[in-house]
Amino acid sequence: MKALALYRRVIALSMVWTLAACGGSSPSASGATASPLDVQTKTYPELVVGFAQIGAESEWRTANTRSIQDTANQLGVELDLSDAQQQQENQIKAIRSFIAQGVDVIGVSPVVETGWDEVFAEVKQAGIPLILLDRNADVPDDLYSVRIGSDFVEEGRRACGEMARLLDGQGSIVILEGTQGSAPMIGRGTGFQECLREYPGLQVLDSQSGDFIRARGKEEMAALLRTHGRSIDGVFAQNDDMALGAIEAIEEYGLQPGIDIKIVSIDAVRAAFEAMIAGKLNATIECNPLLGPLFFETALHLANDTPVEKWIKPIEGVYRQDTAAQELPRRKY
Ligand code: AHR
């Protein structure tokens, strides 16, 4: 560890507020109120962090990458950020290169849940703390230090609750799923299905994968409309980008999104608020991408051998059309 002991006192002073508030009560963890780290006057020039990002599939991901880069710049931390272009093998290569460089902390947002045991064991063997940022991995707990990210199952439950409210508990739904095998795709699907059991009048007609990408959401929604036509009452899109694509497909099909077909999605990006204001999207469940401050604070704690919670969750809300105009100016992503 490079001279990190020198920073112990300043970290202790500046960080207490953040992790004490984690697990659901940190104001810095809300998408509406997230602010840069409260340590702008301090820098940590000797900390080196490697982060293996997934790619740039969505507005959420772009905001997440920006949050990580901006926070590193504010803190003066050296960040080696790699873009895996949606390929797990690229993320594995990046992690191995971070080990070879001897970085102080490694972060990764695993593109899919499985297949990480070997490389995570190598990180552990090298004695480098590992942070799972955003997505989780299906590995034993001792193979990583901490996960910082949303409760995807709860997001799926919330989406189902919104859909049940919009359809008054009766109707046929189609699902646009994210990347197959990814933690948010699995978690959101599980939570949605689990909550659907409380609504016997709601049934899932069909599900297709749109890979969390807007153009793919449009393509799959157009195909679903060709197959099921007017039988579709609701769309659960597992992220906002796919919902925005679905809106275009529904309009091209000659129906009114948000009215003829109710749409609920996840992320709460600015474009989703604009679509709600236009009456085309009915609700969005927040999934906060502004994780840079929590990531680096946690990295500093780990580099100093300070214990942290195993799962740090941002606080997140549910947004509907009726408050969208009021909320939009407050959105940070
Ligand atoms: O892992 C978070 C998900 O990944 C977001 O919901 C989605 O937009 C992104 O691509």
Side-chain angles (χ1 to χ4, degrees), residues 4-299:
L4 283 166
L6 296 175
Y7 303 128
R8 279 204 169 114
R9 193 166 157 267
V10 78
I11 292 164
L13 290 173
S14 64
M15 306 269 168
V16 170
W17 64 274
T18 307
L19 291 184
C22 284
S25 58
S26 166
S28 74
S30 157
T33 56
S35 58
L37 256 185
D38 191 20
V39 286
Q40 286 166 358
T41 53
K42 305 172 187 76
T43 58
Y44 305 89
E46 297 188 36
L47 186 76
V48 182
V49 175
F51 185 70
Q53 181 58 290
I54 293 174
E57 73 281 5
S58 61
E59 289 192 27
W60 189 102
R61 188 66 52 199
T62 310
N64 180 246
T65 301
R66 203 181 312 119
S67 170
I68 294 163
Q69 288 171 321
D70 289 353
T71 313
N73 290 339
Q74 280 164 19
L75 294 177
V77 166
E78 185 180 330
L79 171 68
D80 185 346
L81 190 134
S82 105
D83 173 346
Q85 307 199 351
Q86 312 297 315
Q87 301 301 317
Q88 182 177 33
E89 67 202 60
N90 291 342
Q91 288 192 301
I92 292 173
K93 268 190 217 149
I95 292 170
R96 290 198 167 121
S97 132
F98 298 148
I99 297 172
Q101 284 172 56
V103 301
D104 296 304
V105 177
I106 294 178
V108 58
S109 181
V111 60
V112 289
E113 267 195 351
T114 56
W116 299 100
D117 295 67
E118 195 181 329
V119 71
F120 285 7
E122 291 168 30
V123 176
K124 187 178 174 189
Q125 177 70 26
I128 301 175
L130 178 65
I131 301 176
L132 304 185
L133 191 77
D134 163 35
R135 298 188 184 179
N136 39 337
D138 186 9
V139 290
D141 275 5
D142 68 312
L143 287 188
Y144 66 96
S145 308
V146 53
R147 173 175 174 240
I148 303 170
S150 306
D151 183 339
F152 298 132
V153 176
E154 180 56 24
E155 289 174 348
R157 286 190 203 111
R158 289 177 171 189
C160 157
E162 288 302 297
M163 188 59 85
R165 176 184 63 81
L166 289 158
L167 295 180
D168 213 6
Q170 294 291 327
S172 299
I173 301 160
V174 295
I175 302 180
L176 292 171
E177 295 177 332
T179 306
Q180 296 299 294
S182 68
M185 176 262 160
I186 296 168
R188 290 167 186 172
T190 303
F192 194 85
Q193 294 291 349
E194 185 189 297
C195 151
L196 268 192
R197 290 200 282 272
E198 293 166 32
Y199 300 97
L202 292 178
Q203 57 280 161
V204 175
L205 266 187
D206 211 338
S207 302
Q208 292 300 327
S209 174
D211 293 320
F212 289 128
I213 294 170
R214 182 174 180 150
R216 296 270 302 107
K218 179 175 180 182
E219 205 176 291
E220 294 304 331
M221 189 66 217
L224 287 163
L225 283 162
R226 283 194 297 276
T227 308
H228 303 287
R230 302 268 343 215
S231 322
I232 302 172
D233 301 304
V235 177
F236 167 38
Q238 289 188 345
N239 81 343
D240 288 340
D241 288 68
M242 293 189 295
L244 296 166
I247 287 169
E248 291 173 34
I250 294 168
E251 286 179 326
E252 284 174 21
Y253 190 77
L255 293 175
Q256 287 184 280
I259 296 173
D260 299 322
I261 298 181
K262 307 293 185 200
I263 309 175
V264 176
S265 59
I266 296 182
D267 279 354
V269 299
R270 288 181 66 85
F273 282 80
E274 284 154 7
M276 286 195 289
I277 293 165
K280 298 178 181 187
L281 175 71
N282 300 87
T284 184
I285 316 301
E286 188 174 37
C287 178
N288 186 1
L290 305 181
L291 301 175
L294 277 173
F295 175 65
F296 286 102
E297 287 181 18
T298 306

